[in-house]
Amino acid sequence: MGLVSQDALNQLQALMDQVLLEEEPLQRTFQNVHQGCVTETLTRFLKAREWNATKAHKMIVDCLKWRVQNEIDNILSKPIIPTDLYRGIRDSQLIGLSGYSREGLPVFAIGVGLSTFDKASVHYYVQSHIQINEYRDRVILPSASKKHERPITTCVKILDMTGLKLSALNQIKLLTIISSIDDLNYPEKTNTYYIVNAPYIFSACWKVVKPLLQERTRRKVQVLQGCGRDELLKIMDYASLPHFCRREGSGSSRHSGNGNENCYSLDHPFHQQLYNYIKEKSRIHEAVEPIKQGSFHVDFPEPPAEKAEIVKTLESELHKFKISNVNGD
Protein backbone atom coordinates (compact mmCIF):
# COMPACT_ATOMS: atom_id res chain seq x y z
CA MET A 1 0.00 0.00 0.00
CA GLY A 2 1.39 3.41 -0.98
CA LEU A 3 2.11 6.26 1.43
CA VAL A 4 -0.95 8.27 0.32
CA SER A 5 -3.18 5.21 0.69
CA GLN A 6 -1.83 4.45 4.17
CA ASP A 7 -2.35 8.08 5.23
CA ALA A 8 -5.94 7.96 3.98
CA LEU A 9 -6.52 4.68 5.81
CA ASN A 10 -5.12 6.09 9.07
CA GLN A 11 -7.26 9.20 8.71
CA LEU A 12 -10.40 7.18 8.02
CA GLN A 13 -9.66 4.83 10.94
CA ALA A 14 -9.41 7.82 13.29
CA LEU A 15 -12.70 9.29 12.02
CA MET A 16 -14.47 5.94 12.41
CA ASP A 17 -13.09 5.35 15.91
CA GLN A 18 -14.67 8.63 17.03
CA VAL A 19 -18.08 7.90 15.45
CA LEU A 20 -18.29 4.32 16.70
CA LEU A 21 -17.36 5.40 20.21
CA GLU A 22 -20.27 7.85 20.25
CA GLU A 23 -22.95 5.75 18.54
CA GLU A 24 -23.38 2.16 19.77
CA PRO A 25 -26.01 1.11 17.15
CA LEU A 26 -23.54 1.99 14.39
CA GLN A 27 -20.81 0.06 16.19
CA ARG A 28 -23.00 -3.07 16.34
CA THR A 29 -23.94 -3.03 12.68
CA PHE A 30 -20.34 -2.21 11.65
CA GLN A 31 -19.31 -5.55 13.17
CA ASN A 32 -21.67 -7.31 10.75
CA VAL A 33 -20.11 -5.34 7.90
CA HIS A 34 -16.43 -5.94 8.62
CA GLN A 35 -16.58 -9.48 10.09
CA GLY A 36 -13.16 -8.98 11.65
CA CYS A 37 -11.62 -7.53 8.46
CA VAL A 38 -11.63 -3.85 9.46
CA THR A 39 -8.68 -2.71 7.32
CA GLU A 40 -10.06 -4.45 4.22
CA THR A 41 -13.49 -2.91 4.81
CA LEU A 42 -12.16 0.62 5.22
CA THR A 43 -10.02 0.10 2.11
CA ARG A 44 -13.10 -0.87 0.07
CA PHE A 45 -14.89 2.35 1.00
CA LEU A 46 -11.76 4.40 0.32
CA LYS A 47 -11.47 2.87 -3.15
CA ALA A 48 -15.12 3.72 -3.80
CA ARG A 49 -14.37 7.37 -2.95
CA GLU A 50 -11.03 7.65 -4.75
CA TRP A 51 -9.03 7.49 -1.48
CA ASN A 52 -10.68 10.61 -0.04
CA ALA A 53 -10.96 9.81 3.68
CA THR A 54 -13.62 12.46 4.38
CA LYS A 55 -15.89 11.21 1.58
CA ALA A 56 -15.27 7.57 2.51
CA HIS A 57 -16.16 8.37 6.13
CA LYS A 58 -19.47 9.92 5.07
CA MET A 59 -20.16 6.91 2.84
CA ILE A 60 -19.58 4.41 5.67
CA VAL A 61 -21.66 6.40 8.18
CA ASP A 62 -24.51 6.70 5.63
CA CYS A 63 -24.26 2.95 5.00
CA LEU A 64 -24.37 2.13 8.73
CA LYS A 65 -27.35 4.44 9.28
CA TRP A 66 -29.16 2.79 6.36
CA ARG A 67 -28.50 -0.59 7.94
CA VAL A 68 -29.84 0.50 11.34
CA GLN A 69 -32.89 2.28 9.94
CA ASN A 70 -33.81 -0.69 7.72
CA GLU A 71 -32.89 -3.39 10.27
CA ILE A 72 -30.50 -5.04 7.82
CA ASP A 73 -28.84 -6.94 10.67
CA ASN A 74 -32.11 -8.91 11.05
CA ILE A 75 -32.78 -9.57 7.36
CA LEU A 76 -31.34 -13.10 7.55
CA SER A 77 -34.09 -14.00 10.01
CA LYS A 78 -36.86 -12.88 7.62
CA PRO A 79 -37.73 -15.82 5.31
CA ILE A 80 -39.66 -15.21 2.12
CA ILE A 81 -42.72 -17.41 2.60
CA PRO A 82 -44.45 -19.54 1.45
CA THR A 83 -41.77 -21.67 -0.21
CA ASP A 84 -43.60 -21.57 -3.58
CA LEU A 85 -43.21 -17.78 -3.62
CA TYR A 86 -39.50 -18.08 -2.89
CA ARG A 87 -39.12 -20.74 -5.59
CA GLY A 88 -40.77 -18.34 -8.04
CA ILE A 89 -38.27 -15.65 -7.08
CA ARG A 90 -35.35 -18.04 -7.56
CA ASP A 91 -36.72 -19.00 -11.01
CA SER A 92 -37.00 -15.35 -12.09
CA GLN A 93 -34.02 -13.70 -10.34
CA LEU A 94 -31.24 -15.91 -11.58
CA ILE A 95 -28.26 -15.90 -9.25
CA GLY A 96 -26.28 -18.57 -7.46
CA LEU A 97 -22.92 -19.65 -6.09
CA SER A 98 -21.30 -22.04 -8.56
CA GLY A 99 -18.04 -22.59 -6.67
CA TYR A 100 -14.74 -20.89 -5.87
CA SER A 101 -11.75 -19.58 -7.82
CA ARG A 102 -8.35 -21.15 -7.22
CA GLU A 103 -7.55 -18.13 -5.03
CA GLY A 104 -10.55 -19.01 -2.86
CA LEU A 105 -12.90 -16.26 -4.04
CA PRO A 106 -16.60 -17.22 -4.26
CA VAL A 107 -17.88 -17.40 -7.84
CA PHE A 108 -21.39 -16.02 -8.28
CA ALA A 109 -23.28 -16.68 -11.51
CA ILE A 110 -25.97 -14.24 -12.65
CA GLY A 111 -28.40 -14.89 -15.50
CA VAL A 112 -28.84 -11.31 -16.66
CA GLY A 113 -30.55 -12.11 -19.96
CA LEU A 114 -33.09 -14.64 -18.66
CA SER A 115 -34.04 -13.03 -15.34
CA THR A 116 -37.66 -11.89 -15.71
CA PHE A 117 -38.42 -10.46 -12.23
CA ASP A 118 -42.11 -11.19 -12.82
CA LYS A 119 -43.10 -13.55 -9.98
CA ALA A 120 -43.22 -11.12 -7.05
CA SER A 121 -43.16 -7.44 -6.06
CA VAL A 122 -40.05 -5.27 -6.28
CA HIS A 123 -39.70 -5.42 -2.49
CA TYR A 124 -39.36 -9.21 -2.50
CA TYR A 125 -36.63 -9.11 -5.16
CA VAL A 126 -34.74 -6.42 -3.22
CA GLN A 127 -35.13 -8.44 0.00
CA SER A 128 -33.79 -11.57 -1.72
CA HIS A 129 -30.84 -9.65 -3.20
CA ILE A 130 -29.84 -8.15 0.15
CA GLN A 131 -30.19 -11.54 1.87
CA ILE A 132 -27.74 -13.07 -0.62
CA ASN A 133 -25.37 -10.12 -0.06
CA GLU A 134 -25.56 -10.52 3.72
CA TYR A 135 -25.18 -14.31 3.58
CA ARG A 136 -22.15 -13.84 1.32
CA ASP A 137 -20.58 -11.31 3.71
CA ARG A 138 -21.47 -12.96 7.03
CA VAL A 139 -21.18 -16.66 6.13
CA ILE A 140 -19.54 -17.41 2.75
CA LEU A 141 -16.60 -14.97 2.89
CA PRO A 142 -15.70 -15.57 6.59
CA SER A 143 -15.78 -19.31 5.89
CA ALA A 144 -13.49 -18.88 2.86
CA SER A 145 -11.15 -16.66 4.92
CA LYS A 146 -10.93 -19.31 7.63
CA LYS A 147 -10.26 -22.08 5.11
CA HIS A 148 -7.47 -20.16 3.35
CA GLU A 149 -6.14 -18.55 6.55
CA ARG A 150 -6.20 -15.04 5.05
CA PRO A 151 -8.87 -12.36 4.59
CA ILE A 152 -11.12 -13.04 1.58
CA THR A 153 -13.55 -10.15 1.27
CA THR A 154 -14.46 -10.06 -2.44
CA CYS A 155 -16.02 -12.37 -5.02
CA VAL A 156 -16.01 -13.07 -8.75
CA LYS A 157 -19.19 -12.61 -10.81
CA ILE A 158 -19.98 -14.30 -14.12
CA LEU A 159 -22.77 -12.49 -15.95
CA ASP A 160 -24.55 -14.59 -18.57
CA MET A 161 -26.18 -12.48 -21.28
CA THR A 162 -27.99 -15.39 -22.95
CA GLY A 163 -31.49 -14.29 -23.91
CA LEU A 164 -30.89 -10.56 -23.47
CA LYS A 165 -33.68 -8.74 -25.32
CA LEU A 166 -35.23 -5.31 -25.68
CA SER A 167 -37.62 -6.27 -22.88
CA ALA A 168 -34.66 -5.61 -20.54
CA LEU A 169 -35.83 -1.99 -20.79
CA ASN A 170 -38.75 -2.92 -18.50
CA GLN A 171 -36.35 -4.11 -15.78
CA ILE A 172 -34.02 -1.11 -15.69
CA LYS A 173 -35.83 0.54 -12.75
CA LEU A 174 -35.50 -2.56 -10.51
CA LEU A 175 -31.93 -3.24 -11.60
CA THR A 176 -31.03 0.40 -10.88
CA ILE A 177 -32.44 0.09 -7.35
CA ILE A 178 -30.48 -3.11 -6.71
CA SER A 179 -27.22 -1.82 -8.17
CA SER A 180 -27.55 1.49 -6.27
CA ILE A 181 -27.98 -0.42 -3.00
CA ASP A 182 -24.80 -2.33 -3.86
CA ASP A 183 -22.83 0.77 -4.88
CA LEU A 184 -23.68 2.67 -1.71
CA ASN A 185 -23.71 -0.11 0.89
CA TYR A 186 -21.63 -2.99 -0.50
CA PRO A 187 -18.90 -1.17 -2.48
CA GLU A 188 -15.97 -2.94 -4.11
CA LYS A 189 -17.20 -6.44 -3.21
CA THR A 190 -16.61 -7.78 -6.73
CA ASN A 191 -13.06 -8.47 -7.85
CA THR A 192 -13.89 -9.15 -11.55
CA TYR A 193 -17.02 -9.24 -13.70
CA TYR A 194 -16.85 -11.80 -16.52
CA ILE A 195 -19.40 -11.27 -19.30
CA VAL A 196 -20.26 -14.40 -21.29
CA ASN A 197 -22.67 -15.38 -24.10
CA ALA A 198 -23.01 -11.73 -25.11
CA PRO A 199 -25.43 -11.06 -28.01
CA TYR A 200 -25.14 -8.07 -30.35
CA ILE A 201 -27.53 -5.95 -28.25
CA PHE A 202 -25.14 -6.20 -25.29
CA SER A 203 -22.11 -5.30 -27.43
CA ALA A 204 -23.84 -2.18 -28.73
CA CYS A 205 -24.96 -1.08 -25.24
CA TRP A 206 -21.53 -1.80 -23.75
CA LYS A 207 -19.94 0.40 -26.40
CA VAL A 208 -21.87 3.47 -25.20
CA VAL A 209 -21.83 2.66 -21.46
CA LYS A 210 -18.14 1.76 -21.12
CA PRO A 211 -16.84 5.36 -21.52
CA LEU A 212 -19.17 6.50 -18.71
CA LEU A 213 -17.73 4.06 -16.17
CA GLN A 214 -14.94 5.00 -13.79
CA GLU A 215 -11.58 3.56 -14.75
CA ARG A 216 -11.44 1.22 -11.74
CA THR A 217 -14.82 -0.25 -12.77
CA ARG A 218 -13.83 -0.62 -16.44
CA ARG A 219 -10.72 -2.56 -15.39
CA LYS A 220 -12.89 -5.10 -13.56
CA VAL A 221 -15.05 -5.99 -16.58
CA GLN A 222 -13.88 -8.69 -18.99
CA VAL A 223 -16.05 -9.61 -21.98
CA LEU A 224 -15.19 -13.20 -22.92
CA GLN A 225 -15.65 -15.08 -26.18
CA GLY A 226 -18.73 -17.34 -26.25
CA CYS A 227 -19.42 -19.12 -22.96
CA GLY A 228 -15.95 -18.16 -21.68
CA ARG A 229 -15.09 -21.68 -20.58
CA ASP A 230 -11.41 -21.72 -21.65
CA GLU A 231 -10.63 -18.34 -20.08
CA LEU A 232 -12.51 -19.15 -16.86
CA LEU A 233 -10.68 -22.47 -16.49
CA LYS A 234 -7.50 -20.43 -16.03
CA ILE A 235 -8.83 -19.13 -12.68
CA MET A 236 -11.13 -21.96 -11.48
CA ASP A 237 -11.60 -25.71 -11.75
CA TYR A 238 -14.23 -27.23 -14.03
CA ALA A 239 -16.43 -28.10 -11.03
CA SER A 240 -16.76 -24.38 -10.17
CA LEU A 241 -17.86 -23.35 -13.68
CA PRO A 242 -21.53 -22.32 -13.81
CA HIS A 243 -23.66 -24.74 -15.84
CA PHE A 244 -23.93 -22.23 -18.73
CA CYS A 245 -20.13 -22.11 -19.15
CA ARG A 246 -19.50 -25.84 -19.39
CA ARG A 247 -20.06 -26.11 -23.12
CA GLU A 248 -20.62 -23.72 -26.02
CA GLY A 249 -24.26 -22.85 -26.58
CA SER A 250 -25.36 -24.28 -23.22
CA GLY A 251 -27.03 -21.02 -22.22
CA SER A 252 -28.30 -20.11 -18.76
CA SER A 253 -31.68 -21.82 -18.94
CA ARG A 254 -33.47 -21.75 -15.62
CA HIS A 255 -34.11 -25.46 -16.01
CA SER A 256 -30.88 -26.76 -17.57
CA GLY A 257 -29.33 -29.64 -15.67
CA ASN A 258 -30.55 -30.97 -12.37
CA GLY A 259 -30.77 -28.93 -9.18
CA ASN A 260 -27.23 -29.86 -8.15
CA GLU A 261 -25.80 -28.50 -11.43
CA ASN A 262 -27.99 -25.44 -11.93
CA CYS A 263 -26.79 -22.97 -9.31
CA TYR A 264 -29.88 -20.76 -9.85
CA SER A 265 -32.24 -23.48 -8.65
CA LEU A 266 -33.70 -23.55 -5.14
CA ASP A 267 -32.67 -27.23 -5.15
CA HIS A 268 -28.97 -26.34 -5.57
CA PRO A 269 -26.91 -26.88 -2.38
CA PHE A 270 -26.10 -23.15 -2.08
CA HIS A 271 -29.75 -22.07 -2.10
CA GLN A 272 -30.75 -24.95 0.17
CA GLN A 273 -28.09 -23.89 2.68
CA LEU A 274 -29.13 -20.23 2.42
CA TYR A 275 -32.84 -20.97 2.81
CA ASN A 276 -32.27 -23.35 5.73
CA TYR A 277 -29.98 -20.78 7.40
CA ILE A 278 -32.68 -18.10 7.15
CA LYS A 279 -35.38 -20.47 8.43
CA GLU A 280 -33.22 -21.46 11.41
CA LYS A 281 -32.47 -17.81 12.23
CA SER A 282 -36.19 -17.02 11.95
CA ARG A 283 -37.05 -19.78 14.43
CA ILE A 284 -34.64 -18.25 16.95
CA HIS A 285 -35.98 -14.74 16.22
CA GLU A 286 -39.59 -15.93 16.41
CA ALA A 287 -39.12 -16.85 20.06
CA VAL A 288 -38.75 -13.10 20.68
CA GLU A 289 -40.94 -11.65 17.92
CA PRO A 290 -43.53 -13.42 15.70
CA ILE A 291 -42.72 -13.63 11.96
CA LYS A 292 -44.74 -11.16 9.89
CA GLN A 293 -46.17 -12.10 6.52
CA GLY A 294 -45.18 -9.99 3.53
CA SER A 295 -41.93 -8.63 2.15
CA PHE A 296 -39.20 -6.90 4.13
CA HIS A 297 -39.36 -3.25 3.02
CA VAL A 298 -36.10 -1.38 2.56
CA ASP A 299 -35.62 2.28 1.71
CA PHE A 300 -34.56 2.61 -1.92
CA PRO A 301 -31.63 5.01 -2.40
CA GLU A 302 -31.41 7.64 -5.08
CA PRO A 303 -28.94 6.39 -7.69
CA PRO A 304 -25.58 8.22 -7.71
CA ALA A 305 -25.21 10.81 -10.48
CA GLU A 306 -22.82 8.59 -12.43
CA LYS A 307 -25.31 5.70 -12.41
CA ALA A 308 -28.23 7.96 -13.36
CA GLU A 309 -26.29 9.07 -16.45
CA ILE A 310 -25.49 5.45 -17.36
CA VAL A 311 -29.16 4.43 -17.00
CA LYS A 312 -30.26 7.35 -19.17
CA THR A 313 -27.73 6.41 -21.86
CA LEU A 314 -28.73 2.74 -21.70
CA GLU A 315 -32.43 3.55 -22.01
CA SER A 316 -31.70 5.77 -25.00
CA GLU A 317 -29.69 3.02 -26.72
CA LEU A 318 -32.37 0.37 -26.09
CA HIS A 319 -35.04 2.72 -27.43
CA LYS A 320 -32.99 3.12 -30.63
CA PHE A 321 -32.96 -0.68 -31.00
CA LYS A 322 -36.70 -0.79 -30.42
CA ILE A 323 -37.39 1.82 -33.09
CA SER A 324 -34.94 0.12 -35.45
CA ASN A 325 -36.77 -3.23 -34.96
CA VAL A 326 -40.17 -1.66 -35.56
CA ASN A 327 -38.94 -0.04 -38.78
CA GLY A 328 -37.35 -3.30 -39.87
CA ASP A 329 -33.89 -1.77 -40.31
Side-chain angles (χ1 to χ4, degrees):
M1 187 177 290
L3 189 60
V4 174
S5 304
Q6 187 61 55
D7 285 347
L9 185 60
N10 293 341
Q11 187 182 347
L12 179 56
Q13 180 70 70
L15 290 168
M16 288 306 301
D17 287 346
Q18 185 177 347
V19 169
L20 297 176
L21 194 65
E22 295 169 356
E23 300 193 47
E24 190 187 347
L26 300 191
Q27 186 181 75
R28 283 199 303 271
T29 198
F30 187 52
Q31 289 172 352
N32 269 332
V33 173
H34 68 66
Q35 293 292 321
C37 299
V38 177
T39 299
E40 289 78 10
T41 299
L42 297 181
T43 300
R44 286 194 296 105
F45 281 87
L46 280 166
K47 283 181 181 177
R49 289 297 176 262
E50 306 298 335
W51 296 95
N52 183 309
T54 304
K55 290 181 179 179
H57 173 249
K58 182 182 185 306
M59 186 184 190
I60 297 179
V61 171
D62 287 347
C63 163
L64 299 181
K65 287 180 177 177
W66 172 81
R67 292 180 65 89
V68 171
Q69 289 162 5
N70 291 282
E71 300 182 359
I72 300 300
D73 290 344
N74 295 328
I75 200 168
L76 288 178
S77 63
K78 308 288 183 183
I80 294 174
I81 49 179
T83 305
D84 284 348
L85 172 61
Y86 189 63
R87 187 176 290 278
I89 290 170
R90 292 279 56 84
D91 287 344
S92 54
Q93 182 183 35
L94 304 181
I95 182 171
L97 179 73
S98 66
Y100 294 82
S101 73
R102 292 197 185 93
E103 292 182 346
L105 275 62
V107 176
F108 282 90
I110 302 172
V112 177
L114 291 173
S115 290
T116 54
F117 300 102
D118 59 353
K119 304 295 185 193
S121 70
V122 169
H123 289 284
Y124 277 119
Y125 285 113
V126 171
Q127 177 181 348
S128 171
H129 178 79
I130 294 175
Q131 284 178 330
I132 291 174
N133 278 358
E134 291 292 313
Y135 187 74
R136 173 198 66 197
D137 294 351
R138 296 194 226 171
V139 179
I140 299 291
L141 290 171
S143 175
S145 298
K146 186 176 180 180
K147 179 181 177 181
H148 292 272
E149 299 181 333
R150 63 180 177 81
I152 292 178
T153 58
T154 60
C155 65
V156 168
K157 289 182 179 174
I158 303 175
L159 279 55
D160 182 21
M161 297 296 165
T162 299
L164 189 66
K165 298 183 177 71
L166 286 171
S167 55
L169 195 58
N170 303 326
Q171 298 159 12
I172 282 183
K173 184 178 179 182
L174 172 57
L175 294 174
T176 302
I177 290 169
I178 286 174
S179 60
S180 296
I181 286 172
D182 283 355
D183 288 347
L184 297 172
N185 302 291
Y186 304 92
E188 300 295 319
K189 293 299 292 188
T190 304
N191 187 283
T192 311
Y193 297 91
Y194 293 101
I195 311 292
V196 301
N197 297 321
Y200 175 72
I201 189 172
F202 167 80
S203 304
C205 290
W206 176 239
K207 188 177 178 181
V208 296
V209 167
K210 187 177 179 180
L212 302 177
L213 297 175
Q214 293 182 351
E215 178 58 30
R216 72 170 194 282
T217 304
R218 281 202 299 270
R219 284 199 302 266
K220 289 182 182 184
V221 179
Q222 293 191 31
V223 182
L224 305 182
Q225 186 97 20
C227 72
R229 180 188 57 203
D230 293 343
E231 285 298 313
L232 292 170
L233 284 173
K234 294 176 183 177
I235 64 159
M236 68 187 72
D237 294 335
Y238 183 83
S240 288
L241 286 177
H243 57 282
F244 53 81
C245 291
R246 296 191 175 187
R247 62 185 185 278
E248 290 295 341
S250 57
S252 71
S253 166
R254 304 172 190 80
H255 309 294
S256 61
N258 59 43
N260 285 333
E261 292 178 357
N262 183 351
C263 63
Y264 301 147
S265 169
L266 180 54
D267 300 318
H268 186 271
F270 165 70
H271 283 298
Q272 282 295 299
Q273 290 160 13
L274 168 60
Y275 199 51
N276 289 334
Y277 182 92
I278 293 173
K279 285 194 292 186
E280 180 58 31
K281 290 290 182 184
S282 75
R283 275 195 287 269
I284 297 168
H285 195 74
E286 195 177 10
V288 181
E289 181 184 335
I291 296 174
K292 295 177 183 176
Q293 293 281 347
S295 59
F296 185 94
H297 283 226
V298 172
D299 293 337
F300 298 157
E302 283 293 316
E306 176 198 354
K307 184 167 292 295
E309 185 182 357
I310 289 170
V311 169
K312 189 176 176 182
T313 303
L314 200 51
E315 285 178 328
S316 172
E317 196 65 21
L318 287 170
H319 275 302
K320 286 180 192 172
F321 271 102
K322 204 169 185 178
I323 291 168
S324 175
N325 278 11
V326 168
N327 292 339
D329 292 344

